Amino acid sequence: MRSFKKGRYFYVFIISVAIFFFGFLMGFAVNTKKTEIIETMAKEQGLNTLSMQLQFTYLNYLNMSRKTNCETIKIALDENWKKLCEAYAKFVKYKDAKDSPKKEMKLLERNRLLNELRYWFLLKEAKIHCDFNNSVWVLYFFSEKLCKAKCERESAMLEYFKKLFGDRFLLFYINMDIEEPFIKMIYKEYNITEYPTIVVEGEKFGGEHSFE
């Protein structure tokens, strides 16, 4: 009888150890996969940055008053906006995921934001010289540290309008928790004094807003 009990405990021990190592190996595989995905995201953002720099340098040399050049600029803006939206969707998916490397994600967010602001800067110039009146750009200033609940509600509202109007509603998320000199320049330009704040085509609206 004792021999039977000892044998039973032994098998229970073996099974428990097997389950533990299986869970460990699965966790290790998931973390490895997540690291690979983040590294791929970083490489993609790097290539997108280089591509956008080259495109925007070329577009800045074009005479925006010419109709043919405006058509070229419109194509470039549309294609790059799609890439920016895809990059943002990937970033959001892994940003707050468990075990995501915080330091690397902060660098990815900073790079993503700079790409979006570079796009926004060219878009503003293009709107001055070309007939691009079928879309509205919106800068959304927020802080995850200072206005988490209010900013989350504001984000939900803005995402609703983004889905409703599609590419006609160009939304740029500006996380003021990121240490970036260019963000501070825009912050001072629009005199941001509270979070959340949105700037629509140059007009500022401070505080939380409702769907009304």
Side-chain angles (χ1 to χ4, degrees), residues 167-179:
D167 292 341
R168 292 178 294 164
F169 189 82
L170 306 180
L171 178 61
F172 301 89
Y173 280 86
I174 302 181
N175 187 350
M176 296 305 298
D177 299 330
I178 298 175
E179 290 294 329

Side-chain angles (χ1 to χ4, degrees), residues 8-211:
R8 184 176 63 181
Y9 292 147
F10 175 75
Y11 286 120
V12 169
F13 173 75
I14 293 296
I15 293 171
S16 299
V17 171
I19 292 173
F20 170 78
F21 277 107
F22 178 76
F24 173 79
L25 291 173
M26 286 295 295
F28 178 78
V30 170
N31 288 334
T32 301
K33 182 65 176 178
K34 189 180 294 181
T35 301
E36 291 175 354
I37 291 172
I38 292 172
E39 288 177 351
T40 301
M41 286 170 59
K43 291 177 181 177
E44 286 179 351
Q45 281 199 16
L47 289 173
N48 287 340
T49 298
L50 178 59
S51 176
M52 289 177 69
Q53 285 175 341
L54 290 172
Q55 289 181 65
F56 291 176
T57 299
Y58 173 71
L59 293 174
N60 282 329
Y61 279 105
L62 294 177
N63 182 358
M64 290 190 181
S65 63
R66 291 180 57 187
K67 184 177 180 180
T68 54
N69 289 342
C70 283
E71 291 173 355
T72 301
I73 292 169
K74 180 68 167 59
I75 293 171
L77 287 173
D78 289 346
E79 288 297 320
N80 279 289
W81 182 248
K82 290 178 183 177
K83 290 180 180 179
L84 289 173
C85 289
E86 290 172 359
Y88 180 74
K90 287 182 181 179
F91 172 78
V92 170
K93 182 178 179 180
Y94 292 99
K95 178 184 177 183
D96 297 321
K98 187 179 179 181
D99 300 327
S100 289
K102 302 301 180 184
K103 185 177 180 180
E104 285 77 1
M105 296 309 293
K106 281 291 183 183
L107 291 174
L108 281 174
E109 184 171 16
R110 183 183 177 190
N111 189 56
R112 176 200 62 77
L113 180 55
L114 288 174
N115 281 340
E116 290 194 5
L117 290 176
R118 185 181 292 112
Y119 177 95
W120 166 74
F121 188 73
L122 179 64
L123 176 66
K124 284 210 310 176
E125 288 295 309
K127 280 199 164 195
I128 293 173
H129 302 285
C130 298
D131 185 22
F132 295 161
N133 297 317
N134 62 335
S135 65
V136 174
W137 59 260
V138 179
L139 300 182
Y140 170 43
F141 296 87
F142 70 99
S143 169
E144 294 175 337
K145 296 178 181 177
L146 301 178
C147 78
K148 188 170 180 60
K150 287 195 300 182
C151 287
E152 285 179 351
R153 290 193 294 269
E154 190 81 356
S155 296
M157 183 193 71
L158 293 170
E159 280 295 323
Y160 170 80
F161 286 118
K162 183 178 178 181
K163 290 178 181 178
L164 182 64
F165 295 107
D167 292 341
R168 292 178 294 164
F169 189 82
L170 306 180
L171 178 61
F172 301 89
Y173 280 86
I174 302 181
N175 187 350
M176 296 305 298
D177 299 330
I178 298 175
E179 290 294 329
E180 169 53 47
F182 189 45
I183 295 177
K184 294 179 180 178
M185 291 172 62
I186 301 173
Y187 174 90
K188 291 180 179 179
E189 178 184 353
Y190 291 109
N191 190 27
I192 306 300
T193 58
E194 61 180 321
Y195 303 117
T197 291
I198 61 175
V199 177
V200 183
E201 293 286 338
E203 187 173 357
K204 184 178 73 172
F205 302 90
E208 187 178 356
H209 303 89
S210 67
F211 283 98

